[in-house]
Amino acid sequence: MRVFVTGATGWVGSRVIEELLAAGHQVLGLARSEDKAARLAQTGAQVLRATLDDLATLADAARRSEAVIHTAFNHDFSKFADNARQDQRAIEVLGEALAGTDKPLLVTSGVAMLAPGRVATEADVPMSHPDYPRRSETTAIALAERGIRTATVRLAPSVHGVGDHGFIPILLRLARETGVSAYIGEGSNRWPAVHVSDAGRLYRLALETGVSERAYHAIAEEGVPMRDIARAIGRRLGVPVESRGREHFGWFADFAGADMPAASERTRAALGWQPNGPPLLADIADPRYCED
């Protein structure tokens, strides 16, 4: 099928593109700059030069495609609320363009605020939290309630692999700068994880099986204790591993202390998805992972 993918050159989106092209699908990818467009063109995908603010262009691309996968999101946390509003507008426009058809829209979200302190499942419904302005999944649910075939892929907070530039690299940089690999309290809070190749394959399988679920969990490891993550970073860098207060982590404290385990049994059963990428701690130990 012909698939329109936003975030086509991003960490997850680029893997989605690889999966789709390898499976014989035609891909139209969104790229916001010349260098990203050139890189995308080399994969064999068609290129659409635009941004998430070019709403009419997004709508036209969606109408001309048989499916849409939305992975784009600006992760500049200094303007997170603005980026969340941009994301919400884009999802609304993409969904509206597909209204009256049976074309599917896959939206991207996460599990961070889904069920703090317990194992989240695909059956959990996200709540609108005043301290967390991102509305990706709640917007997708509103579209689905209007009869638009929409579902959400919930990513683990660590989508890891060689070249990772997400949350674990933030902890690595902090450990290098401070000379200690730290965790909060006893470090028993858990982070789910998935290898980026497994995440990319999940999007393709969800599309090819008809987007039959309301939510999919891209979760390979249900919950890796933060203390174990800190120890792996300590071994990697040769620095001590210690419990530190929230002030040690600065703006990242809420993430570093979050307990957000998540399961993926329903997703695996629905898609036949079996993660086979290396686990998180093995990736952290890999000398190629997050090279400076």
Side-chain angles (χ1 to χ4, degrees):
M1 64 181 72
R2 177 178 170 84
V3 187
F4 175 43
V5 180
T6 71
T9 60
W11 177 237
V12 174
S14 60
R15 295 305 181 100
V16 173
I17 295 283
E18 290 177 11
E19 281 284 332
L20 293 173
L21 291 173
H25 300 288
Q26 296 179 358
V27 176
L28 174 64
L30 184 70
R32 67 177 185 269
S33 65
E34 285 289 350
D35 62 321
K36 291 179 184 297
R39 189 162 69 247
L40 180 58
Q42 291 176 352
T43 69
Q46 294 179 293
V47 179
L48 176 64
R49 273 293 315 279
T51 73
L52 290 182
D53 292 322
D54 297 319
L55 300 180
T57 301
L58 296 182
D60 179 66
R63 282 191 291 266
R64 292 188 289 112
S65 301
E66 296 170 271
V68 178
I69 296 178
H70 176 58
T71 68
F73 190 85
N74 186 338
H75 287 92
D76 179 354
F77 288 98
S78 68
K79 51 178 184 178
F80 188 63
D82 290 339
N83 296 337
R85 285 189 288 271
Q86 179 192 55
D87 176 62
Q88 182 175 359
R89 288 193 299 270
I91 293 170
E92 290 170 343
V93 165
L94 292 169
E96 187 63 41
L98 302 179
T101 75
D102 197 36
K103 297 176 182 179
L105 167 63
L106 274 176
V107 168
T108 304
S109 188
V111 298
M113 299 292 291
L114 193 60
R118 65 169 176 82
V119 178
T121 73
E122 295 89 341
D124 285 306
V125 178
M127 295 182 293
S128 294
H129 196 288
D131 296 330
Y132 192 74
R134 187 168 179 177
R135 298 287 183 266
S136 308
E137 184 168 0
T138 53
T139 305
I141 291 172
L143 292 172
E145 290 173 347
R146 293 176 48 200
I148 300 166
R149 189 144 63 101
T150 311
T152 301
V153 175
R154 296 171 179 163
L155 295 173
S158 177
V159 183
H160 57 91
V162 173
D164 187 358
H165 53 270
F167 288 159
I168 299 298
I170 291 175
L171 294 172
L172 276 160
R173 286 194 295 272
L174 182 63
R176 286 192 180 99
E177 293 167 0
T178 63
V180 60
S181 181
Y183 53 85
I184 295 174
E186 296 182 354
S188 57
N189 60 297
R190 298 153 291 177
W191 276 20
V194 66
H195 193 269
V196 66
S197 62
D198 292 321
R201 188 168 70 258
L202 186 149
Y203 280 87
R204 175 179 62 80
L205 291 172
L207 199 64
E208 292 177 346
T209 54
V211 189
S212 57
E213 301 292 310
R214 182 181 59 80
Y216 300 93
H217 276 194
I219 306 292
E221 296 177 89
E222 186 172 288
V224 183
M226 182 57 66
R227 181 177 55 250
D228 292 349
I229 294 173
R231 286 171 176 165
I233 292 173
R235 287 192 296 271
R236 165 77 180 269
L237 301 181
V239 299
V241 180
E242 301 174 4
S243 175
R244 291 291 179 94
R246 292 174 57 86
E247 66 279 0
H248 175 84
F249 297 89
W251 70 270
F252 196 64
D254 286 343
F255 293 99
D259 186 40
M260 45 186 166
S264 58
E265 283 84 357
R266 182 166 177 169
T267 296
R268 297 181 193 221
L271 302 182
W273 179 66
Q274 290 299 325
N276 54 27
L280 174 59
L281 299 185
D283 246 352
I284 294 174
D286 188 333
R288 301 169 300 162
Y289 176 77
C290 188
E291 294 176 307
D292 276 354

